[in-house]
Amino acid sequence: MRLRHIEVFHAIMQAGSVSGAAQLLHISQPAVTKVLQHCELQLGMPLFERTPGKLHPTPEAHRLFAEVDRLHRDLLGVRRLAANLRTGQAERVRIGITPTLGVDLLPEALVRWRKLAPHTPVDLSTNHTTEIVSALLSGDIDLGLSLQNPHHPGLRAETLASSTMMALCPVSSPEARQDGPLAIGNITSELIGLGDDDPMGHAVMNLAGDGEAPPQPLVTVKTYQLARALVESGMGLSLVDPFTAAAAHPQRIRVRRLAPAVPVQLYLLTLAKAPLGLPARKLVRVLGDIAQESLARLP
């Protein structure tokens, strides 16, 4: 399919008619009809069944549209970038980040980055890692931040900072009155756990020694921020990532490292063959600095 074929086919699929497609593309209805006929002739198959005033996509058209829609979004992205480069406007930075990092790491980094790129538009979204991977592959975001490495062949995962899982202990708990790393087998306070689908939470539960059952949480949450809030209220102890721990209220929570250590890494996720623009590279450097400063506050 030629570029014009893609544009017309996409417009017809969106509008459902030749007249609607003509309005979307700001061209005449005969021009849309001519391009569609040429497209079908080139493909060697009909894409629509014709009824008076209406076009009904064939099954082949629906299958083709999934790929054409992706190409159309890419084309719009290229046109926006070309327009920005032509007019001298800053390139938009689109970020996908997991909720934990979005609350505890990104705001401070954006404030510092804004001084380096005062006119650069930025789009932010918080998603789980699987959704960030999909958004990167579809071109909806430029970079992602996650505590998980998806090990996807189409993506590059770069480590920005490294640390270990931490125990958040209410100041009134027996664990808070002790020093040094905390073994999971020595936890006596009620445990606020993470969901079974959390990879780091699952790794922590495997730390129990031979013949030693891991503590079973009575309360399970989906986010580290909620776990931290419950610990701050005095409800129990929780095991969280180091960035969540670094933002804990020091008068309500005592932070201790786990023993043995459970490694945690902050990953920058990007497309393997799509280098970041200058504003995005500046943001990555700031994020790395903020992450290191955050980890330096831990015991």
Side-chain angles (χ1 to χ4, degrees), residues 143-195:
L143 62 94
L145 290 170
S146 175
L147 299 179
Q148 300 176 38
N149 184 347
H151 297 287
H152 192 285
L155 300 180
R156 178 172 57 248
E158 176 187 347
T159 300
L160 297 183
S162 300
S163 187
T164 61
M165 290 288 283
M166 300 286 170
L168 299 184
C169 312
V171 292
S172 60
S173 67
E175 292 84 1
R177 294 190 289 271
Q178 302 169 5
D179 295 322
L182 173 64
I184 194 169
N186 293 335
I187 294 176
T188 59
S189 298
E190 180 175 336
L191 182 65
I192 300 168
L194 300 169

Side-chain angles (χ1 to χ4, degrees), residues 110-139:
L110 285 177
V111 170
R112 189 177 300 182
W113 171 73
R114 179 55 71 202
K115 298 176 181 178
L116 303 175
H119 304 296
T120 301
V122 60
D123 294 335
L124 308 176
S125 61
T126 55
N127 300 103
H128 296 296
T129 301
T130 54
E131 296 167 324
I132 291 175
V133 169
S134 298
L136 282 167
L137 295 174
S138 64

Side-chain angles (χ1 to χ4, degrees), residues 47-266:
L47 295 175
F48 299 92
E49 296 177 357
R50 276 76 168 171
T51 59
K54 193 73 174 178
L55 295 176
H56 301 280
T58 63
E60 292 78 14
H62 282 294
R63 294 184 62 183
L64 189 63
F65 181 70
E67 186 68 16
V68 166
D69 187 50
R70 183 186 66 80
L71 292 174
H72 188 263
R73 291 199 303 270
D74 290 344
L75 177 61
L76 291 179
V78 171
R79 286 176 173 169
R80 283 196 298 268
L81 176 58
N84 289 340
L85 293 174
R86 182 177 64 252
T87 60
Q89 295 181 5
E91 179 183 349
R92 181 177 298 273
V93 178
R94 303 168 300 166
I95 309 168
I97 189 168
T98 56
T100 293
L101 301 171
V103 171
D104 295 322
L105 185 67
L106 188 60
E108 185 178 355
L110 285 177
V111 170
R112 189 177 300 182
W113 171 73
R114 179 55 71 202
K115 298 176 181 178
L116 303 175
H119 304 296
T120 301
V122 60
D123 294 335
L124 308 176
S125 61
T126 55
N127 300 103
H128 296 296
T129 301
T130 54
E131 296 167 324
I132 291 175
V133 169
S134 298
L136 282 167
L137 295 174
S138 64
D140 293 332
I141 60 174
D142 304 304
L143 62 94
L145 290 170
S146 175
L147 299 179
Q148 300 176 38
N149 184 347
H151 297 287
H152 192 285
L155 300 180
R156 178 172 57 248
E158 176 187 347
T159 300
L160 297 183
S162 300
S163 187
T164 61
M165 290 288 283
M166 300 286 170
L168 299 184
C169 312
V171 292
S172 60
S173 67
E175 292 84 1
R177 294 190 289 271
Q178 302 169 5
D179 295 322
L182 173 64
I184 194 169
N186 293 335
I187 294 176
T188 59
S189 298
E190 180 175 336
L191 182 65
I192 300 168
L194 300 169
D196 294 335
D197 57 345
D198 186 274
M200 289 187 293
H202 185 71
V204 167
M205 290 298 100
N206 289 333
L207 288 180
D210 294 338
E212 183 182 37
Q216 297 301 313
L218 296 180
V219 176
T220 301
V221 299
K222 290 291 186 182
T223 67
Y224 290 101
Q225 293 84 8
L226 180 54
R228 184 179 65 202
L230 292 175
V231 176
E232 290 180 346
S233 71
M235 185 169 187
L237 179 150
S238 191
L239 309 174
V240 301
D241 72 278
F243 300 102
T244 299
H249 197 299
Q251 295 180 343
R252 298 179 182 179
I253 291 179
R254 170 81 183 280
V255 179
R256 295 177 62 187
R257 294 183 181 271
L258 287 182
V262 177
V264 177
Q265 293 179 309
L266 170 61

